[in-house]
């Protein structure tokens, strides 16, 4: 639990020391680099790259939320794909059945996912292991509801005829505009969450993740922060979910299985637990790389599992940790006086 | 006819859940670790039994059961040594440990798919199709093996925990790891023992499950429902794991009839959440810390 | 504006790619589950298609053209299938796409191929509504669920004199669309539906359902599902001593069905996409003989479907090249001109809405061997 965003946990509340300011500046610099790369590379490659980048962005948004929830606050969710499902179905059904405009539908769906997350949090006001297994069960229950509530969700058949994205009377349907919309989603989510982690809430989440009892004892209202972080994590997943049906042009419960929840967890682990840019890099790795290893699809899940074990054993701070290590080393050579926080 | 058959089949499946749940409980008790790979250990046991059968088709079922248990037990020993113990030693966070067990589960399932194939395999022995009539009810003969094995397991575990030094050490470690270390109990040894026993129980569940249905690489999902069973009966409690398994088995068959069989997979977890709402540490909680 | 820009880009890209590619090679994408629990449909279809392709390339049936198959795995996941298809169209510039196997993934692929105006031909997908969307870019080799299960219902009534039918339905897109057609035909003929139960695709223990079914005392049971569940249902019917003529969908032809169900599988009926040896034409016999020469066994129904998919494709290439250039549009038009083409599974015609007309074999399992019960060919 110690990467670029998490390191400032050690800094006492309220202090704005030099190193803290510097680490914040670094975080925003990384934000700019990641977003600029993201915004430039796919359009240059064009065609399929735009399409796959849109899907990466969707997974990245969900992973960012999960990162705050798991990597920072230590609330492990094993059924996170369910919340993508809640967001996707709520948004599409609102648009399809009630003609709610796209942006309003997205807002309501995001809120709905956060509320369902809160409901889960309240139902299972539990700590540690009980919470983990309850989230797993919750994921299964949501999946079965989506699959079997046929009159509303279309059941296992799913839904087709997804209305196109329409904002202020303009219809966006082609790959480039889908990509741009996804980029805006991602930039906004990333920026908001980054700000959040820099503030008091971020410090509280980190304290919660390190030791719940200790956090409580130094006066952090652990229960309310826990609920808040669950709502944020689930809301981000819901937001990501609202885009998915518009990219695929269909909606099917198979996109929200236990397997997808696992993939999301692997994304944040490989990217580096606790690191926001890590979540995005993880999404790139897990969505793009398999596309280019088409001949080895059969081994994909095996490779995912090995990747998870290897990152747990050999690089517990993920790709973000490795990059940070490299940067520190290079910097250390130029400015040996600087002490790492 | 109807109700009796339903209850009996529910209880038998419940025994299978109970065996896997016992494995979860043993490991949690000894190491404070939630082992998400336990369901896949069950799958591995089922496949190893299948391999033993294809090498020696004439072997009696009980031998197959024992061979699969020993082989899977060895396997569990190796996993504990190679993967879990180093992580526990460096005091890794709970989240890392859970993710590690998930990773091992994925690797086991997918390696099994590559090794034994994606299609389910069936034990080609008479037991798979044998029927015994008891009081007019047609029952698969393997039911008796399952119930018999369950009974033996409960007796053996009770003896282990009350009559042997190893068992006492296991209990001591689970109640207070620091003090027990001071008393000269090696926690590493306890976790090895717990892992081996849990793997053997998982393997037994897999082999006993095979004649009822079939063995397939994705059957670890059955094990995850056993998780709900372990929690319903309070993690760490031997008695609780068994009762929790039976409750889940019964709830699935009877509940499936009431609310519709298409929701069968949800029932175990719905019951679990309901139980946790009423009793936050399960039905048979003793006073103990919960990680 | 954005739209036009990206169109322009795509046009430029495809022109560039078209210039590069050899004029003689036709790239054909093929998407299906090559891994995961439904892998048998994808892998066997692909195997059959490759077998037919080798023969066609060797015999020179393709003239100056060469077909390059580009396979990708959907793992049975619709999103993955859509992604694979999008990549084939954008990056590989395929002429057309073969797939998918399940109806959900086929629908997902249609959402990609239709707007891109690339023809898609599914070897196995059955959901009836796939061909009812006014889509000019899709056709299939399999009968619809409507035709398949509807005819199965008529067969059960007319040939087996069913009076009271109990339906067990896999609760997914596939099972439910079969059940809808089956139930409709049964009721239309005034026959009693003694019960209809949906079960979860992952279900293993059917005893509770079956003991209820036993009490309803039907004289015919129809299981509309996949071999993993039909196998367990037939096994557990045997355990409960329920002996009723049973229709187990396409399962009786799958070896695992017999293994899972055990002795109880004896006598089970089924309808198949294709049944080796049921087709008495020259093309039908040639396929079984060629396959046996290479693999020393009869081809499975999915291998047969993959084989026929390729034969239909080869014929379409011939027709398109005879009429001019082989393009995404001309290959589509050629598919819709396929009429009474003799292939392994009988004579095939593609209908104007993308559906198919071809024989439907009904089989029965007797002493571990399949025998033809009835060949519906009208």
């Amino acid at each position: 639990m110690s990467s670029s965003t998490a390191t400032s946990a050690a800094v006492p509340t309220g202090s704005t020391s030099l190193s803290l300011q510097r680490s914040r500046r670094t975080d925003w610099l990384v934000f700019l680099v990641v977003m600029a790369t993201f915004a430039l590379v796919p359009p240059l490659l064009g065609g399929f790259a735009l399409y796959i980048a849109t899907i990466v962005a969707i997974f990245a948004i969900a992973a960012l939320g999960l990162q705050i929830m798991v990597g920072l606050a230590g609330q492990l969710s094993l059924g996170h794909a369910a919340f993508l499902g809640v967001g996707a179905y709520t948004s599409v059904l609102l648009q399809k059945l009630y003609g709610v405009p796209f942006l309003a539908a997205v807002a309501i769906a995001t809120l709905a996912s956060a509320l369902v997350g809160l409901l889960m949090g309240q139902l299972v006001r539990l700590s540690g292991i009980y919470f983990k297994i309850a989230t797993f069960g919750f994921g299964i229950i949501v999946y079965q509801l989506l699959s079997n509530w046929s009159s509303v969700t279309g059941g296992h058949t799913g839904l087709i005829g997804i209305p196109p994205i329409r904002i202020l009377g303009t219809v966006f349907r082609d790959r480039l505009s889908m990509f741009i919309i996804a980029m805006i989603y991602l930039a906004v989510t990333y920026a908001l969450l980054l700000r959040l982690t820099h503030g008091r809430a971020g410090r509280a989440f980190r304290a919660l993740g390190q030791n719940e009892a200790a956090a409580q004892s130094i006066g952090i209202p652990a229960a309310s922060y826990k609920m808040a972080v669950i709502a944020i994590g689930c809301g981000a997943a819901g937001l990501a979910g609202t885009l998915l049906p518009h990219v695929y042009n269909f909606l099917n419960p198979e996109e929200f299985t236990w397997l997808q929840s696992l993939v999301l967890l692997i994304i944040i682990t490989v990217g580096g637990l606790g690191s926001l840019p890590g979540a995005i890099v993880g999404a790139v790795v897990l969505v793009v790389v398999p596309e280019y290893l088409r001949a080895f699809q059969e081994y994909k899940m095996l490779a995912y599992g090995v990747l998870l074990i290897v990152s747990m054993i050999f690089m517990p701070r993920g790709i973000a940790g490795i990059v940070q290590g490299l940067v520190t080393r290079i910097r250390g050579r130029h400015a040996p006086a600087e002490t790492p926080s | 006819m109807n109700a009796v058959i339903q209850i009996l089949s529910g209880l038998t499946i419940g025994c299978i859940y109970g065996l896997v749940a016992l494995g979860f409980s043993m490991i949690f008790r000894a190491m404070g670790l939630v082992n998400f790979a336990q369901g896949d250990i069950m799958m591995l046991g089922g496949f190893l039994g299948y391999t033993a059968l294809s090498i020696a088709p004439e072997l009696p079922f009980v031998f197959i059961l024992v061979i699969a248990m020993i082989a899977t037990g060895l396997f569990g020993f190796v996993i504990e040594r190679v993967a879990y113990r180093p992580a526990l030693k460096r005091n890794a966070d709970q989240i890392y440990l859970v993710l590690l067990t998930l990773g091992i589960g994925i690797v086991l399932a997918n390696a099994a798919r590559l090794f034994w194939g994606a299609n389910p395999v069936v034990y080609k022995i008479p037991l798979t199709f044998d029927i015994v009539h008891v009081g007019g009810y047609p029952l698969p003969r393997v039911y008796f093996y399952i119930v018999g094995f369950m009974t033996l397991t409960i007796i053996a575990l009770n003896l282990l925990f009350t009559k042997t030094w190893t068992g006492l050490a296991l209990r001591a470690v689970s109640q207070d790891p620091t003090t027990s270390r001071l008393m000269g109990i090696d926690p590493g040894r306890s976790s090895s023992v717990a892992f081996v026993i849990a793997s053997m129980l998982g393997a037994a569940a897999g082999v006993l499950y095979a004649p009822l249905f079939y063995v397939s690489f994705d059957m670890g999902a059955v094990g995850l429902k056993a998780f709900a069973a372990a929690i319903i009966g309070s993690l760490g409690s031997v008695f609780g794991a068994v009762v929790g398994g039976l409750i889940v088995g019964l709830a699935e068959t009877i509940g499936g009839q009431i609310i519709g069989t298409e929701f069968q997979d949800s029932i175990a977890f719905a019951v679990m959440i309901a139980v946790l709402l009423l009793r936050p540490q399960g039905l048979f909680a003793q006073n103990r810390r919960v990680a | 504006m954005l739209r036009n820009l990206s169109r322009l880009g795509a046009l430029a890209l495809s022109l560039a790619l078209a210039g590069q590619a050899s004029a003689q090679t036709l790239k054909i994408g093929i998407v299906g589950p090559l891994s995961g629990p439904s892998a048998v449909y994808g892998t066997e279809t692909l195997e059959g298609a490759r077998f037919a392709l080798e023969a066609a390339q060797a015999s020179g049936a393709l003239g100056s053209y060469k077909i390059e198959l580009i396979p990708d795995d959907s793992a049975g996941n619709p999103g993955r299938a859509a992604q694979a298809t999008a990549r084939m169209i954008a990056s590989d510039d395929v002429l057309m796409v073969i797939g998918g196997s399940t109806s959900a993934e086929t629908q997902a692929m249609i959402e990609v191929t239709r707007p891109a105006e690339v023809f898609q031909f599914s070897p196995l997908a059955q959901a009836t509504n796939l061909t009812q969307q006014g889509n000019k870019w899709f056709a299939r080799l399999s009968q619809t669920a409507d035709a398949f299960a509807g005819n199965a219902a008529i067969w059960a009534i007319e040939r087996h004199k069913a009076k009271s039918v109990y339906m067990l339905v896999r609760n997914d897109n596939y099972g439910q669309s079969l059940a809808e057609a089956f139930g409709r035909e049964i009721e239309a003929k005034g026959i009693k539906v003694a019960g209809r139960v949906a079960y979860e695709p992952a279900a293993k223990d059917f005893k509770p359902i079956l003991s209820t079914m036993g009490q309803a005392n039907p004289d015919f049971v129809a299981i509309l599902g996949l071999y993993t569940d039909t196998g367990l249902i037939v096994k557990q019917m045997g355990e409960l001593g329920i002996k009723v003529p049973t229709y187990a969908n396409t399962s009786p032809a799958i070896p695992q069905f017999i293994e899972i169900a055990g002795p109880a599988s004896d006598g089970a009926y089924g309808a198949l996409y294709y049944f080796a040896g049921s087709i008495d034409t020259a093309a039908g016999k040639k396929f079984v003989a060629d396959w046996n020469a290479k693999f020393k066994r009869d081809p499975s129904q999915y291998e047969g479907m993959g084989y026929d998919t390729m034969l239909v494709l080869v014929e379409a290439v011939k027709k398109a090249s005879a009429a001019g250039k082989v393009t995404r549009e001309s290959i589509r038009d050629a598919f819709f001109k396929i009429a009474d083409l003799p292939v392994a599974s009988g004579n095939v015609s593609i209908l104007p809405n993308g559906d198919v007309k071809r024989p439907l074999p009904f089989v029965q399992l007797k002493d571990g061997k399949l025998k033809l019960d009835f060949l519906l060919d009208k």
Side-chain angles (χ1 to χ4, degrees):
Chain A
M1 202 110 343
S2 50
S3 61
S4 70
T5 50
T7 34
S8 41
V11 178
T13 315
S15 141
T16 45
S17 70
L18 200 67
S19 78
L20 183 61
Q21 268 179 358
R22 188 173 295 136
S23 109
R24 282 186 184 171
R25 231 182 25 233
T26 318
D27 282 352
W28 284 110
L29 204 68
V30 172
F31 171 86
L32 282 179
V33 172
V34 169
M35 287 314 300
T37 317
F38 225 129
L40 289 177
V41 175
L44 284 176
L45 295 172
F48 182 69
L50 282 176
Y51 177 82
I52 200 84
T54 312
I55 293 169
V56 169
I58 292 173
F59 276 89
I61 294 164
L64 281 172
L66 191 65
Q67 187 69 284
I68 298 278
M69 195 169 153
V70 177
L72 238 57
Q75 304 299 311
L76 186 56
S77 164
L78 297 172
H80 214 59
F83 296 96
L84 274 142
V86 172
Y89 275 93
T90 312
S91 149
V92 163
L93 289 174
L94 282 174
Q95 292 173 67
K96 221 176 137 103
L97 300 182
Y98 303 103
V100 175
F102 174 76
L103 288 178
V106 167
I108 298 173
T110 308
L111 214 63
S113 307
L115 282 177
V116 175
L118 276 180
L119 175 74
M120 176 183 80
Q122 283 296 324
L123 269 183
V124 290
R125 245 170 312 156
L126 309 159
S127 56
I129 163 161
Y130 293 111
F131 182 75
K132 289 168 203 135
I133 293 164
T135 56
F136 174 78
F138 206 80
I140 302 266
I141 293 173
V142 170
Y143 168 77
Q144 290 216 309
L145 277 174
L146 293 179
S147 311
N148 289 312
W149 193 7
S150 307
S151 55
V152 176
T153 63
H156 283 281
T157 316
L159 292 170
I160 52 170
I162 309 292
I165 293 181
R166 184 192 293 273
I167 300 170
L168 299 174
T170 317
V171 172
F172 299 94
R173 220 194 262 273
D174 59 294
R175 286 205 178 137
L176 186 62
S177 34
M178 288 301 301
F179 167 76
I180 293 173
I181 292 173
M183 269 319 99
I184 296 173
Y185 264 53
L186 178 62
V188 170
T189 313
Y190 187 5
L192 283 178
L193 292 180
L194 197 52
R195 264 199 71 90
L196 186 83
T197 59
H198 286 165
R200 184 193 293 174
R203 284 193 296 275
F205 291 159
R206 270 178 221 116
L208 204 61
Q210 273 157 1
N211 188 335
E212 200 176 317
Q216 188 101 45
S217 71
I218 56 167
I220 293 173
S224 0
Y225 273 112
K226 208 148 95 186
M227 287 303 138
V229 85
I230 292 172
I232 291 169
C234 296
L239 177 72
T242 61
L243 260 187
L244 203 61
H246 296 284
V247 175
Y248 284 147
N249 260 316
F250 69 87
L251 192 49
N252 190 293
E254 288 309 306
E255 303 306 317
F256 311 110
T257 56
W258 151 239
L259 213 65
Q260 298 282 24
S261 299
L262 264 183
V263 168
L264 281 171
L265 278 173
I266 299 174
I267 285 177
I268 61 167
T269 318
V270 169
L273 273 183
S275 157
L276 291 180
I280 297 175
V281 174
V284 174
V285 171
L286 263 86
V287 177
V288 178
V289 172
E291 239 353 288
Y292 289 88
L293 296 174
R294 193 153 57 179
F296 305 100
Q297 281 293 346
E298 212 190 327
Y299 304 96
K300 187 172 86 173
M301 276 318 288
L302 184 68
Y304 280 6
V306 172
L307 198 60
L308 186 56
I309 296 175
V310 167
S311 30
M312 288 294 85
I313 295 179
F314 297 108
M315 42 177 227
R317 290 161 61 205
I319 297 173
I322 292 175
V323 172
Q324 207 199 347
L326 285 178
V327 170
T328 317
R329 205 185 293 170
I330 294 164
R331 264 207 202 150
R333 217 170 278 159
H334 292 297
E338 190 179 355
T339 50
S341 55
Chain B
M1 148 110 182
N2 205 346
V4 176
I5 296 261
Q6 290 185 14
I7 290 171
L8 285 178
S9 77
L11 286 176
T12 323
I13 311 267
C15 282
I16 303 276
Y17 288 144
L19 284 173
V20 184
L22 271 175
F24 281 132
S25 268
M26 293 281 301
I27 291 175
F28 182 73
R29 226 177 134 132
M31 312 164 73
L33 174 74
V34 194
N35 181 22
F36 272 93
Q38 188 68 15
D40 299 292
I41 294 280
M42 168 187 174
M43 176 237 17
L44 186 69
F47 271 119
L48 287 174
Y50 172 76
T51 300
L53 255 181
S54 23
I55 295 170
E58 300 302 317
L59 226 49
F61 183 69
V62 176
F63 283 82
I64 298 293
L65 182 65
V66 172
I67 292 173
M69 283 174 71
I70 294 173
T72 316
L74 280 175
F75 192 83
F77 178 77
V78 174
I79 302 188
E80 195 271 342
R81 271 300 164 87
V82 175
Y84 294 134
R85 189 137 8 132
L88 277 175
K89 272 221 176 98
R90 71 179 157 87
N91 237 334
D93 200 272
Q94 259 288 322
I95 288 188
Y96 284 84
L97 294 175
V98 170
L99 290 173
L100 186 64
T101 67
L102 281 174
I104 287 171
I106 301 173
V107 169
L108 283 180
N110 287 281
R113 173 171 61 82
L114 294 171
F115 192 78
W116 282 286
N119 289 324
V121 302
V122 176
Y123 284 17
K124 288 181 205 91
I125 47 173
L127 184 66
T128 307
F129 305 106
D130 255 12
I131 298 292
V132 183
H133 284 268
V134 181
Y137 299 113
L139 303 175
R141 194 149 62 88
V142 69
Y143 276 19
F144 300 96
Y145 283 82
I146 293 174
V147 173
F149 186 85
M150 192 78 215
T151 317
L152 281 179
T153 305
I154 296 173
I155 296 172
L157 284 180
N158 254 315
L159 286 177
L160 175 81
F161 281 126
T162 51
K163 296 277 193 282
T164 67
W165 172 247
T166 314
L168 287 173
L170 275 176
R171 274 166 63 192
V173 169
S174 74
Q175 264 148 23
D176 191 341
T178 330
T179 318
S180 53
R181 191 172 307 160
L182 290 176
M183 309 274 284
I185 294 170
D186 174 9
R189 185 159 170 270
S190 308
S191 72
S192 283
V193 171
F195 232 91
V196 169
I197 296 178
S199 302
M200 291 173 84
L201 290 176
V207 174
L208 290 167
Y209 179 89
L212 275 180
F213 309 112
Y214 48 74
V215 179
S216 59
F217 77 93
D218 54 357
M219 80 189 205
V222 178
L224 285 169
K225 276 194 248 170
F227 236 137
I231 289 202
I232 289 171
S234 299
L235 263 178
S237 156
V238 169
F239 180 65
V242 176
V243 177
L246 296 179
I247 290 178
V248 170
L250 273 184
E252 277 194 351
T253 32
I254 296 169
Q257 292 290 293
I258 297 168
I259 64 163
T261 40
E262 54 269 47
F263 285 101
Q264 216 173 30
D265 272 352
S266 295
I267 292 174
F269 297 103
V271 171
M272 179 191 84
I273 291 177
V275 166
L276 287 180
L277 282 176
L278 297 174
R279 288 182 62 99
Q281 304 207 345
L283 294 177
F284 302 98
Q286 300 142 4
N287 272 338
R288 58 156 67 239
R289 77 201 157 91
V290 173
Chain C
M1 177 65 194
L2 282 179
R3 209 162 145 190
N4 287 340
L5 260 180
S6 72
R7 276 242 175 109
L8 209 66
L11 189 69
L13 194 75
S14 62
L15 281 176
L17 281 172
Q20 276 171 14
S22 149
Q24 308 298 319
T25 300
L26 306 172
K27 289 187 181 171
I28 311 287
I30 177 165
V31 179
L34 304 178
S35 68
S38 44
V40 55
Y41 311 117
T43 48
E44 293 197 351
T45 309
L46 180 60
E47 194 57 42
R50 281 190 171 138
F51 183 73
L53 179 59
E54 270 169 38
Q57 315 262 49
S59 72
L62 282 164
S64 61
Y65 288 101
K66 210 176 143 304
I67 288 179
E68 182 193 344
L69 269 185
I70 301 180
D72 202 349
D73 179 22
S74 67
N77 174 288
R80 180 69 211 111
Q83 226 162 288
T85 312
R87 167 129 188 265
M88 286 170 172
I89 293 172
S91 309
D92 301 308
D93 194 35
V94 292
L95 176 71
M96 60 166 280
V97 181
I98 297 171
S101 296
T102 69
S103 296
E105 73 181 24
T106 305
Q107 181 67 58
M109 290 169 67
I110 286 176
E111 300 301 336
V112 180
T113 52
R114 187 181 185 176
E117 305 198 326
V118 172
F119 182 63
Q120 178 186 346
F121 190 66
S122 168
L124 299 179
Q126 288 198 311
T128 309
N129 67 357
L130 290 171
T131 40
Q132 294 174 345
Q133 300 164 5
N135 178 3
K136 290 273 97 192
W137 295 93
F138 177 76
R140 60 175 144 197
L141 188 60
S142 51
Q143 283 101 339
T144 61
D146 242 26
F148 204 85
N151 282 323
I154 296 168
W155 159 86
I157 295 164
E158 289 182 354
R159 201 174 150 80
H160 294 281
K161 312 288 175 242
K163 294 273 178 297
S164 159
V165 181
Y166 206 96
M167 294 164 64
L168 299 167
V169 184
R170 181 179 166 99
N171 189 35
D172 64 5
N173 191 15
Y174 176 65
Q176 289 289 5
S177 61
L178 289 173
E180 197 181 307
F182 194 92
R184 194 175 52 231
E185 284 301 330
I186 293 280
E187 278 166 2
K189 291 265 192 267
I191 302 293
K192 188 175 142 209
V193 175
R196 175 175 170 167
V197 180
Y199 59 84
E200 188 53 18
K204 296 272 175 0
D205 182 17
F206 298 94
K207 289 265 171 79
I209 299 176
L210 293 178
S211 50
T212 312
M213 181 180 95
Q215 288 173 334
N217 212 6
D219 64 5
F220 197 90
V221 175
I223 314 171
L224 305 162
L226 301 178
Y227 73 90
T228 40
D229 21 281
T230 56
L232 284 177
I233 290 173
V234 170
K235 175 184 191 220
Q236 291 170 19
M237 278 171 69
E239 288 173 358
L240 292 174
I242 302 174
K243 287 195 181 67
V244 182
T246 302
Y247 167 80
N249 202 26
T250 65
S251 307
I254 300 171
Q256 281 83 10
F257 168 78
I258 304 168
E259 284 185 7
I260 293 169
S265 67
D266 200 50
Y269 293 100
L272 306 184
Y273 289 104
Y274 161 73
F275 175 47
S278 70
I279 304 299
D280 248 348
T281 62
K285 286 177 182 159
K286 180 179 180 325
F287 172 50
V288 178
D290 288 355
W291 190 275
N292 267 293
K294 182 168 178 192
F295 296 100
K296 315 275 177 267
R297 60 172 175 85
D298 278 349
S300 76
Q301 52 183 333
Y302 309 116
E303 286 158 349
M305 294 302 277
Y307 181 86
D308 278 0
T309 299
M310 190 49 72
L311 291 195
V312 173
L313 170 62
V314 168
E315 180 65 18
V317 170
K318 277 194 222 162
K319 278 189 195 301
S321 65
K325 215 172 145 5
V326 181
T327 62
R328 283 177 174 176
E329 198 161 355
S330 73
I331 193 83
R332 175 200 68 175
D333 296 341
F335 263 87
F336 282 99
K337 289 198 192 97
I338 300 284
D340 271 327
L341 177 70
V343 292
S345 62
N347 286 5
V348 163
S349 305
I350 303 292
L351 306 176
N353 72 339
D355 276 334
V356 71
K357 187 170 121 7
R358 58 186 199 89
L360 177 63
F362 289 90
V363 295
Q364 186 184 22
L365 204 53
K366 265 283 168 215
D367 305 320
K369 291 244 177 300
L370 280 182
K371 67 179 189 59
L372 188 67
D373 183 64
F374 183 67
L375 185 70
L376 182 75
D377 190 4
K378 53 171 187 194

